[in-house]
Amino acid sequence: MNFFLYLLLVGFNFLMAFTGRIPANPHKNVILETTLPKDKLQDEQVLLVSKTYKKRLVQLAFIFSIIALPILLIPYDSLTLFYFMLMTIGLIGASFYLEVVYIRKMTAVKVKNNWILPTKPILVDTRLVVNKNRKLISIWWFLPSVLMTLTGCIYSVQTLGLSNGTWLICLISILMTGMFLLFYYFIARFPVKPVTSDEMINQKVNDQMRHHWSVLMAVSAFVLSPFAFLPTSSVTIPYERMMVFSIGYAVLILGFVIFTFYYLFSSRKKQDYLIAQATEYRYSDEDQYWKYGIYMNPNDKRIMVPDRIGMNISVNLGRPAGKLALGITGILVLIALIASSVPMLISDFSSNPFDLTTTHTGISLSAPLNQRKQIAWSDIESVKLVDSLPSDKLRIYGTATENYLTGEFQVNGQPAYLLVLTNKKPILEIKTKEKFYYYTNKDSILTKKYYQNIQAIREKKQ
C-alpha cells in the first residue's frame, strides 16, 4: 500500500506540473492571469517569466517527490494516510503560491512597460445573443444517466435495504448526476461576449465552447452512473467477475479523465485558432476581477463562469451564493478527511480498538465509528479459531489496508463482517445462518480467552 501511495504521489506531482503550465501559454490574450496586447505576448520579458515559471513547476514536482519518500517507511496506516494527505495538500498549496508569485511578476512586466490595452466600446451582437445555445446539446442527453442512476439505487435498496452504506452510495450517485445537470444549466445561462469584430467567428467560438462543455457534462454523468449499482453488484456478482468488472471500470474512469483533459485542451486550441483568423480581437481586460485564478466580481450575477484558460468553470466568490458553495465544498472535504482518518488513528494507537462483549442474549462486536453488531446465541452455528482468512475476500463497505480489515466483506462468496488485525493470530471465526464474523484483538491471548468464554456459554445453553 505504501509503495502504491508513493507512486500515486509522484504521478500527481508531475500531473500538477504539467497542467500548471497551461496558464503560462497565452489564451485570448491572457497569460498567467494577465491580459496583454496581442503584439506583446511574444515579448522577451513575457517569455522569460513564462519559461521560468514552467521550469519551477518541474523542480517543485521533483522536490515533493523526494519529500514524499518517508511514506515508504511509515508502519501505521493512519500516519500513512495523514502523510499522503499532507503531501497532496502541500503540493496544491505550493503550486498555487508559485502561480501567485509568477502572476505578480507578469503583472509587474505589464505595469513597468505601461502596456495599456486600447479602450473600445462594448460590442453587442444581437444575433449571437439569440443563437447563443444553438449548439448546446439537448437536456435529453442526460436521460440515460438519470435512468441508470435511479435504477441502480432502487435495485440496490430493494436487494440490500438501507444498511451497509447502501443509502450513502445511492445519495452520492444522485448528487453526482444532479451536479452535472446543474453545470449544464449554468453553461446554458452563460452570457455571450463577442471576442472579435467578426460575427461569424464570434458565433463559432461560442458554439464550440457550449457544445464541448455540454457534451462533457452529459458524458461525465453517464460514465459515473454505474456507481449506483456498486452495493448490489458487490454482493450478487461472483468475486472473480467482480474483480474484473472493478478493474475494467477503474481503467474506464482513468481513460475518461485523460480524454477529458484532451477534450478540453483541444477545445481551447480550436478557440485560439478561430480567434487568430479575425482581423481584430476585442480586448477584454478583466484582471481586476481575477485574483490569482479566482473570480471575484460582486457586480456579476453569475455564480459560475468559464475561466480564462478555457479549460474549467470557476465559482464567482464575489457573490454570496459562490462563497456559500465554496464553503459547503470545503466542509464536505473536511468531514470526508476526518471520517477516513479518525477510525484509523483509533485502530492504530488505542489498546483495544475492536471490542467483543458477551451477554445473556448474544455477542456484541464494535469498532471505531462503526455500527455495533449483535449476534444472537440461537443464530450461531459454529465458533472456531483459524490462523488466516480465506484469500477470496472482497470489501463491500468499510476499510481494507495492509494492517486491518473492518466492515462488510464477501469471503468465499459469502457475506462476512470483519474486525481483523492482519498481523495477529489466531482469528476468531463465528458462523451464523446468514453471515460469517471474523474478529481479532491486539492481544492474541484475549482472542483465545474470548473463544473459550463463548464455547463455555454455548455449552451451557445447549
Side-chain angles (χ1 to χ4, degrees):
M1 175 182 174
N2 294 45
F3 182 70
F4 171 76
L5 289 178
Y6 176 74
L7 291 180
L8 195 61
L9 280 175
V10 173
F12 178 70
N13 293 343
F14 285 95
L15 178 63
M16 286 288 291
F18 178 72
T19 56
R21 297 163 60 95
I22 296 175
N25 297 319
H27 176 66
K28 294 183 178 179
N29 289 74
V30 177
I31 181 169
L32 281 174
E33 294 297 340
T34 306
T35 308
L36 299 176
K38 186 175 183 179
D39 59 335
K40 304 300 181 183
L41 293 173
Q42 299 301 318
D43 186 90
E44 291 184 1
Q45 301 172 75
V46 174
L47 293 178
L48 177 62
V49 174
S50 175
K51 290 179 180 178
T52 307
Y53 170 66
K54 294 177 181 179
K55 181 179 178 181
R56 294 289 182 267
L57 283 172
V58 177
Q59 292 172 343
L60 189 67
F62 274 110
I63 291 172
F64 268 83
S65 296
I66 295 173
I67 297 176
L69 281 171
I71 201 173
L72 297 172
L73 305 175
I74 299 176
Y76 298 104
D77 291 325
S78 58
L79 296 183
T80 300
L81 179 62
F82 178 77
Y83 198 75
F84 178 82
M85 292 188 297
L86 183 65
M87 288 292 97
T88 303
I89 296 172
L91 178 66
I92 294 173
S95 300
F96 181 71
Y97 174 74
L98 187 66
E99 184 178 6
V100 168
V101 170
Y102 279 87
I103 288 174
R104 289 176 175 173
K105 289 181 181 291
M106 190 65 76
T107 303
V109 171
K110 175 181 177 180
V111 173
K112 175 185 175 182
N113 292 278
N114 195 30
W115 287 339
I116 305 300
L117 301 181
T119 302
K120 296 183 179 181
I122 297 175
L123 177 64
V124 178
D125 190 336
T126 54
R127 181 178 299 178
L128 181 60
V129 172
V130 173
N131 297 319
K132 69 174 186 177
N133 286 330
R134 70 175 190 178
K135 292 296 184 180
L136 187 79
I137 63 171
S138 170
I139 196 171
W140 293 108
W141 278 49
F142 288 88
L143 184 60
S145 308
V146 173
L147 291 177
M148 187 175 293
T149 298
L150 293 178
T151 302
C153 291
I154 294 172
Y155 182 59
S156 295
V157 170
Q158 287 180 342
T159 305
L160 302 176
L162 295 175
S163 60
N164 302 332
T166 303
W167 68 271
L168 180 59
I169 294 178
C170 289
L171 178 62
I172 293 173
S173 300
I174 293 172
L175 288 177
M176 283 194 303
T177 303
M179 177 185 68
F180 290 119
L181 278 166
L182 183 63
F183 284 163
Y184 172 86
Y185 170 78
F186 283 126
I187 292 167
R189 289 181 61 86
F190 282 160
V192 295
K193 180 183 293 185
V195 293
T196 74
S197 56
D198 189 315
E199 291 184 0
M200 184 176 296
I201 291 178
N202 292 337
Q203 186 70 60
K204 288 182 179 179
V205 171
N206 176 80
D207 291 346
Q208 194 272 339
M209 183 274 290
R210 293 176 193 268
H211 179 76
H212 269 62
W213 273 104
S214 58
V215 167
L216 186 61
M217 294 303 104
V219 175
S220 299
F222 182 75
V223 170
L224 295 177
S225 58
F227 186 74
F229 287 91
L230 181 61
T232 306
S233 59
S234 299
V235 175
T236 57
I237 299 177
Y239 175 78
E240 294 81 5
R241 293 182 183 177
M242 186 61 196
M243 286 301 297
V244 172
F245 172 78
S246 300
I247 294 173
Y249 190 57
V251 172
L252 173 64
I253 296 296
L254 178 60
F256 178 68
V257 171
I258 296 173
F259 165 77
T260 299
F261 182 83
Y262 166 78
Y263 193 63
L264 293 177
F265 192 72
S266 66
S267 173
R268 169 189 159 111
K269 290 181 67 176
K270 289 176 182 178
Q271 290 180 37
D272 290 338
Y273 174 75
L274 289 169
I275 293 172
Q277 296 179 16
T279 56
E280 179 190 20
Y281 177 77
R282 301 192 65 83
Y283 296 100
S284 178
D285 192 342
E286 297 180 339
D287 291 356
Q288 73 270 27
Y289 298 126
W290 289 92
K291 304 297 183 182
Y292 312 121
I294 301 173
Y295 187 68
M296 292 182 288
N297 185 0
N299 299 319
D300 190 341
K301 294 183 179 180
R302 294 176 296 173
I303 300 174
M304 306 192 74
V305 297
D307 71 359
R308 298 205 294 176
I309 66 172
M311 294 186 62
N312 204 350
I313 297 177
S314 297
V315 177
N316 181 8
L317 294 184
R319 304 291 298 179
K323 295 175 182 177
L324 180 63
L326 185 64
I328 292 175
T329 302
I331 292 173
L332 292 177
V333 171
L334 181 61
I335 292 173
L337 293 178
I338 293 174
S340 61
S341 58
V342 168
M344 289 187 178
L345 284 168
I346 298 174
S347 299
D348 281 336
F349 297 104
S350 66
S351 59
N352 186 23
F354 303 151
D355 183 51
L356 184 151
T357 56
T358 56
T359 65
H360 68 282
T361 59
I363 301 171
S364 176
L365 299 173
S366 65
L369 300 183
N370 274 263
Q371 183 180 7
R372 184 176 290 272
K373 295 291 182 178
Q374 304 288 344
I375 310 172
W377 292 114
S378 58
D379 292 337
I380 298 176
E381 295 183 347
S382 66
V383 179
K384 62 182 179 179
L385 293 175
V386 297
D387 290 330
S388 62
L389 289 171
S391 58
D392 185 3
K393 52 184 177 292
L394 175 67
R395 181 185 65 175
I396 298 174
Y397 179 72
T399 303
T401 72
E402 292 179 356
N403 296 321
Y404 47 81
L405 307 169
T406 64
E408 301 289 342
F409 284 71
Q410 264 193 324
V411 175
N412 281 342
Q414 299 295 321
Y417 182 74
L418 275 62
L419 295 179
V420 174
L421 298 163
T422 57
N423 60 345
K424 297 295 181 180
K425 295 179 182 179
I427 302 171
L428 177 63
E429 179 190 276
I430 303 173
K431 180 182 178 183
T432 68
K433 299 174 183 178
E434 298 179 351
K435 184 179 290 188
F436 282 86
Y437 296 85
Y438 293 91
Y439 170 87
T440 60
N441 193 283
K442 274 193 173 181
D443 186 346
S444 298
I445 296 177
L446 280 178
T447 303
K448 295 177 183 178
K449 286 185 177 180
Y450 288 145
Y451 167 72
Q452 294 169 357
N453 185 34
I454 292 171
Q455 289 290 62
I457 295 175
R458 292 188 70 214
E459 289 176 0
K460 290 181 180 180
K461 289 184 174 292
Q462 290 177 352

